Amino acid sequence: MHKIMIVEDDPKLATLLASYIEKYGYQVLAVEQFDTILERFQLEKPHLVLLDVNLPRFDGYYWCRQIRTVSTCPVLFISARAGEMDQVMALENGGDDYVTKPFHYEIVMAKIRSLLRRAYGEYAAPITERICELNGFKLYPERMELELNGVIATATKKEADIIELLMQCSPRVASRDELLEKLWDDQNYVDENTLNVNMTRVRRKLQELGIHDAVETVRGSGYRLVVNWHEGGAR
């Protein structure tokens, strides 16, 4: 059963949408706290998001960009803004389609079914999953999961990107420039402190698998992943 996440701050409309979508056999969840949308998304892992543009504090464009840092699931914008530039903004910020209010529920359902077919169904491109492996330690970049000796940990998109680069470079050093390029976001400038913070998170993530002190800081150069674990249990 596909799960649909509704991010709409008009509770009446959100309820009506949820009721209509559920009639077609989908599981529906409606967000009520609009400052923790990304956290709720990561917890629930929906197959598709219905996302309003006008939301409290941050708009839908912002939240779509945040979702795109961790997932490629379809995002369908629903908005009272009917201007061409609003639709362009939605697509340029990571959205897949756009429908304006007031809308016919049948149109929304048709777009939902179309996006789900493209992403997961008969029109979906076949996916060959990549696996990066180093001495029994596995990274699944598309799933954003790490595995060692049967223990699995989830990672954020940035953590997975960094770990992938470290694994590809090992035993040589991954330069700070290479890592900064991996972390680069069109919306934000990534500075040295951002890199340091992300490396700290990577180390903590590896510790969840029992891998300690494997990421070395090479002063003036970058970071190196040192294989200090073995298959069958971390040293």
Side-chain angles (χ1 to χ4, degrees):
M1 181 186 295
H2 287 120
K3 184 187 294 186
I4 311 297
M5 178 173 166
I6 298 175
V7 185
E8 165 62 62
D9 65 338
D10 180 338
K12 183 178 180 180
L13 178 56
T15 299
L16 289 171
L17 269 171
S19 177
Y20 194 87
I21 294 170
E22 285 172 344
K23 289 194 300 185
Y24 287 84
Y26 297 105
Q27 181 181 353
V28 180
L29 62 100
V31 170
E32 296 177 351
Q33 300 296 325
F34 297 97
D35 55 349
T36 56
I37 291 171
L38 184 61
E39 290 84 346
R40 183 75 185 278
F41 176 89
Q42 291 180 289
L43 176 65
E44 299 287 353
K45 294 181 170 56
H47 297 92
L48 181 144
V49 178
L50 285 178
L51 182 60
D52 191 11
V53 173
N54 294 321
L55 294 170
R57 194 175 181 188
F58 297 110
D59 63 21
Y61 304 140
Y62 169 85
W63 288 116
C64 190
R65 292 197 303 272
Q66 300 308 301
I67 289 171
R68 285 290 171 257
T69 66
V70 298
S71 175
T72 58
C73 93
V75 175
L76 172 58
F77 275 94
I78 50 174
S79 175
R81 300 184 186 180
E84 291 183 1
M85 280 310 299
D86 295 304
Q87 298 184 44
V88 169
M89 284 282 290
L91 297 175
E92 289 189 344
N93 280 278
D96 295 279
D97 206 343
Y98 192 100
V99 61
T100 57
K101 304 174 186 175
F103 47 71
H104 293 289
Y105 290 99
E106 294 83 359
I107 296 295
V108 174
M109 283 308 310
K111 288 180 178 289
I112 288 174
R113 287 193 293 263
S114 176
L115 290 171
L116 290 174
R117 283 198 302 269
R118 292 177 194 173
Y120 313 107
E122 57 191 292
Y123 302 139
I127 297 174
T128 302
E129 183 175 33
R130 292 188 302 127
I131 304 175
C132 303
E133 184 169 0
L134 184 62
N135 201 45
F137 170 56
K138 297 178 182 178
L139 165 68
Y140 301 89
E142 283 72 35
R143 283 193 238 165
M144 292 177 286
E145 288 184 350
L146 316 171
E147 180 181 359
L148 178 64
N149 301 317
V151 180
I152 297 174
T154 58
T156 65
K157 178 70 164 56
K158 283 183 169 55
E159 289 167 352
D161 285 345
I162 291 172
I163 292 170
E164 182 177 5
L165 180 58
L166 289 172
M167 292 176 74
Q168 290 171 346
C169 290
S170 182
R172 71 177 179 85
V173 175
S175 72
R176 298 185 76 86
D177 286 344
E178 289 176 296
L179 288 161
L180 286 168
E181 186 175 345
K182 269 285 187 183
L183 287 172
W184 186 264
D185 184 326
D186 288 340
Q187 306 299 325
N188 297 292
Y189 172 73
V190 180
D191 58 19
E192 292 286 318
N193 186 59
T194 301
L195 175 58
N196 295 337
V197 169
N198 278 276
M199 294 307 300
T200 298
R201 290 174 178 164
V202 164
R203 289 186 170 105
R204 290 174 182 166
K205 191 62 60 176
L206 295 177
Q207 288 172 10
E208 294 180 21
L209 300 176
I211 300 175
H212 300 272
D213 304 320
V215 179
E216 288 186 348
T217 301
V218 182
R219 190 177 298 277
S221 181
Y223 296 86
R224 175 169 47 219
L225 182 63
V226 179
V227 177
N228 63 359
W229 66 88
H230 61 91
E231 294 185 69
R235 289 175 182 166

